[in-house]
Amino acid sequence: MRNLLPRRALAIAVPLLSATLFMAACGGSDDDSPSGGAATSEAGGLVAIITPSADNPFFKAEADAAKAKAESLGYETSVASHDDDPNKQSELIDAAISRKAKAIILDNAGADASIGPVRKAKDAGIPVFLIDREINATGIANAQIVSNNAQGAQLAAQSFVEAMSSKGNYVEFVGKESDTNAGVRSKGFTDVISQYPDLKQVAKESANWDQQEAFTKMETILQKNRDIQGVIAGNDTMALGVVAALKAAGLNGKVVVVGFDGSPDAIAAIKAGDMHATALQPAVLGAETAVEQADKFIKTGSTGAEEKQSIDCELVTEENADEFGVFGRK
């Protein structure tokens, strides 16, 4: 007699094996296990959420928001981090494909490096909804939902100019070269600041979105030249590294610092007088919008929206800082 599992046991064992394989593929992600216990087989299956490291509060906020929205719509979720490693991102997308995910919500690991993996998911019949960062291709992702980085950068730069009284020496910190947002924000800063000839850029450094790198590079800049009146940074993480370096040099409160993102730590620094302003990009709204459009696509075959979509940023200063919470208005 053949030794066969009862059908009910087999039905339970197969999904468990799939979940185990997916967790193994995800490696050291922040939350590799499937979640959303309220999801049922009628809900439509898995939504895979893949972002950069949740050590950055912006990425954690968008991952948490996407997860909560997907589960509220009845989906099972998995949350993983590619840590800005294109190879790890490819593995995570392969894992989502192998699990036959109904959709992938992705904050990608490179505008060029992500094209192939996104196309692979599309070819497998899995729609991909990009958030925060675009890729250098269209017609592959179902949506590319990003903050209006040019508009936000111009808001931040105008506030910076006003705080600087339109004159003085300043430093700019830019983000990862592979991230299209870094270039867009830097250009937005320049479009405004270049209109004021008495503002002199004395240094421009990439700190790769990293706080420690910004701290170290700002220290080096100050060792060469302490005659600096302002610093504008492509994200709040770098801006906070600058603030730490200014404190170490005894210059806290004497240099105008403006960032970008609207992180809770940056808003706290603004309230404390350590930063002047930040351009808040609504991470939560972007992530929730992506999940809503994924749900609509799964159910109807269409998102009802253009592929390229942008959401305007808001300027946060000491005057209105109490109105904002975690990457959005309270």
Side-chain angles (χ1 to χ4, degrees):
M1 179 180 290
R2 290 177 298 170
N3 184 18
L4 296 178
L5 283 171
R7 289 185 178 180
R8 177 172 177 79
L10 182 60
I12 295 171
V14 170
L16 288 175
L17 177 59
S18 297
T20 302
L21 290 173
F22 184 67
M23 286 190 288
C26 289
S29 62
D30 300 302
D31 178 5
D32 297 329
S33 59
S35 58
T40 68
S41 59
E42 291 81 14
L46 175 72
V47 171
I49 301 159
I50 305 170
T51 71
S53 173
D55 289 344
N56 183 313
F58 179 87
F59 302 131
K60 184 178 189 310
E62 66 181 9
D64 288 348
K67 173 182 167 70
K69 175 58 70 173
E71 291 177 2
S72 75
L73 293 170
Y75 292 93
E76 180 185 4
T77 62
S78 66
V79 180
S81 169
H82 55 58
D83 296 323
D84 280 311
D85 180 345
N87 292 325
K88 187 175 181 182
Q89 175 180 258
S90 293
E91 292 171 0
L92 291 169
I93 289 176
D94 285 346
I97 292 171
S98 72
R99 288 204 69 198
K100 295 180 170 37
K102 289 303 183 77
I104 296 172
I105 309 298
L106 174 66
D107 191 338
N108 72 77
D112 292 314
S114 301
I115 294 172
V118 172
R119 181 180 286 113
K120 186 174 183 180
K122 175 183 171 65
D123 291 344
I126 300 175
V128 179
F129 296 81
L130 300 178
I131 54 176
D132 180 42
R133 302 171 177 175
E134 298 177 323
I135 56 173
N136 290 330
T138 57
I140 304 172
N142 291 71
Q144 301 194 49
I145 304 169
V146 301
S147 298
N148 190 338
N149 284 279
Q151 172 261 351
Q154 290 170 5
L155 271 181
Q158 191 58 56
S159 182
F160 180 72
V161 168
E162 292 169 2
M164 293 280 289
S165 300
S166 305
K167 64 182 183 297
N169 297 329
Y170 78 97
V171 175
E172 180 186 348
F173 279 92
V174 298
K176 282 184 181 291
E177 192 174 318
S178 62
D179 186 343
T180 55
N181 289 344
V184 172
R185 293 176 192 177
S186 183
K187 183 180 183 299
F189 294 158
T190 300
D191 287 347
V192 173
I193 297 172
S194 63
Q195 300 176 45
Y196 300 88
D198 291 331
L199 280 167
K200 308 291 184 183
Q201 187 180 92
V202 296
K204 183 176 182 178
E205 295 277 357
S206 171
N208 295 300
W209 305 131
D210 185 75
Q211 184 166 337
Q212 183 58 48
E213 189 170 345
F215 173 84
T216 301
K217 289 187 173 180
M218 191 66 203
E219 275 197 324
T220 301
I221 291 169
L222 290 172
Q223 288 167 6
K224 297 176 181 177
N225 180 14
R226 289 175 64 90
D227 186 21
I228 293 169
Q229 286 74 52
V231 180
I232 190 164
N235 78 344
D236 287 337
T237 306
M238 294 187 297
L240 291 166
V242 168
V243 167
L246 292 172
K247 287 182 177 180
L251 295 173
N252 189 45
K254 300 177 182 178
V255 178
V256 174
V257 179
V258 170
F260 196 113
D261 276 345
S263 75
D265 286 344
I267 292 175
I270 289 169
K271 291 179 180 180
D274 296 332
M275 282 178 60
H276 171 69
T278 182
L280 181 142
Q281 54 172 337
V284 170
L285 178 59
E288 290 178 342
T289 300
V291 174
E292 288 167 353
Q293 291 185 12
D295 178 57
K296 185 174 182 179
F297 184 84
I298 291 165
K299 292 174 178 175
T300 70
S302 172
T303 65
E306 298 290 329
E307 176 183 338
K308 291 281 190 101
Q309 303 167 51
S310 66
I311 304 172
D312 281 350
C313 301
E314 295 190 71
L315 185 70
V316 182
T317 64
E318 187 177 8
E319 287 70 30
N320 67 357
D322 287 334
E323 300 173 17
F324 296 89
V326 181
F327 297 101
R329 285 189 172 273
K330 292 178 178 177

